[in-house]
Amino acid sequence: MGSNPTKAAANMYCKCRLAAAKGNDKLNSREGAAELLGLSPSTLADYELGNTKVVPVDKVNLMADLYNAPELKHWYCRNVCPLGEDMPQIELGELDRLTIKTLAVLKKATSVKDDLLDITSDGVITSDEKPKLDTILETLKEVTSVAQSLIVWAEKNNNEEGCK
C-alpha cells in the first residue's frame, strides 16, 4: 500500500491514523498500525475501507488512544452509534478560535437565563412561552457543542507542547 491511500482517504479511521503518523512513523502503514493495535492488517483495512460497518467500540478506543484522536470517539458516537445521532457537531480548530466561540456562546447563554427563569418559575410552560423555550434550547445546544469542541481540543493537546 502506498503512503496515500486513495480509497480510504475520506475514512475517519484512516484520517486519524495518517494524522498520527506525523509523530509515529510506524502508523504510516496499516501493517505497523495493526501491529500496535493488536489487529490483523486485513481487519484494519476493512475498518479503513468501510467494509466493516460497525467497528467494535474497544477497537475505536484503542485507535483513538494510539492515534491521540479523541475526536474519533466523538465521531463514532455521533455517526455510527444510533444512540448518539443527536450529539452536537464538534469543531476542531485552533485554541484562540475555540475560545472566542466559547465566550460568544456563553454571552448568549447569559442573555437567555432570565427568559429561562421567567418561563419555568411557575412550573408550567404555556403555548406562548414555547417559542422562547425553543430559542433557549437552541442556545443550550450551542453551549454543548462549543464545550465539547473545547474538551476534545484539550484532550488532544494535553500531552503536546501547546498545553502545559
Side-chain angles (χ1 to χ4, degrees):
M1 181 187 101
S3 61
N4 292 317
T6 55
K7 193 170 182 184
N11 179 284
M12 187 64 165
Y13 305 112
C14 186
K15 283 182 186 179
C16 289
R17 176 177 60 82
L18 294 176
K22 294 173 185 166
N24 182 345
D25 194 48
K26 197 158 188 177
L27 298 176
N28 272 319
S29 72
R30 283 191 188 129
E31 292 77 13
E35 180 183 327
L36 294 173
L37 291 166
L39 301 170
S40 70
S42 63
T43 298
L44 184 57
D46 284 342
Y47 296 169
E48 291 186 359
L49 294 169
N51 297 335
T52 301
K53 296 303 175 201
V54 179
V55 176
V57 174
D58 61 321
K59 301 307 179 194
V60 175
N61 274 325
L62 283 172
M63 285 187 271
D65 291 344
L66 178 63
Y67 303 161
N68 187 32
E71 68 274 19
L72 182 59
K73 293 178 187 179
H74 185 87
W75 173 87
Y76 182 89
C77 290
R78 188 171 196 275
N79 295 285
V80 178
C81 177
L83 298 176
E85 65 187 15
D86 292 333
M87 287 180 68
Q89 181 71 35
I90 63 166
E91 178 184 321
L92 290 180
E94 297 299 320
L95 180 58
D96 58 347
R97 294 296 311 147
L98 288 173
T99 300
I100 291 167
K101 284 186 173 207
T102 300
L103 293 174
V105 170
L106 290 175
K107 183 177 180 182
K108 190 174 177 182
T110 300
S111 72
V112 297
K113 76 177 182 179
D114 290 335
D115 287 342
L116 180 60
L117 282 171
D118 291 342
I119 291 171
T120 60
S121 63
D122 61 2
V124 176
I125 299 172
T126 61
S127 60
D128 62 312
E129 293 172 325
K130 284 185 181 187
K132 266 189 182 176
L133 182 61
D134 289 342
T135 299
I136 292 166
L137 294 176
E138 284 304 312
T139 300
L140 291 174
K141 287 177 184 177
E142 289 179 51
V143 169
T144 302
S145 177
V146 73
Q148 278 300 129
S149 297
L150 197 53
I151 289 167
V152 169
W153 183 94
E155 288 173 353
K156 187 169 186 70
N157 293 281
N158 194 29
N159 296 324
E160 296 180 10
E161 288 184 32
C163 189
K164 297 180 181 178

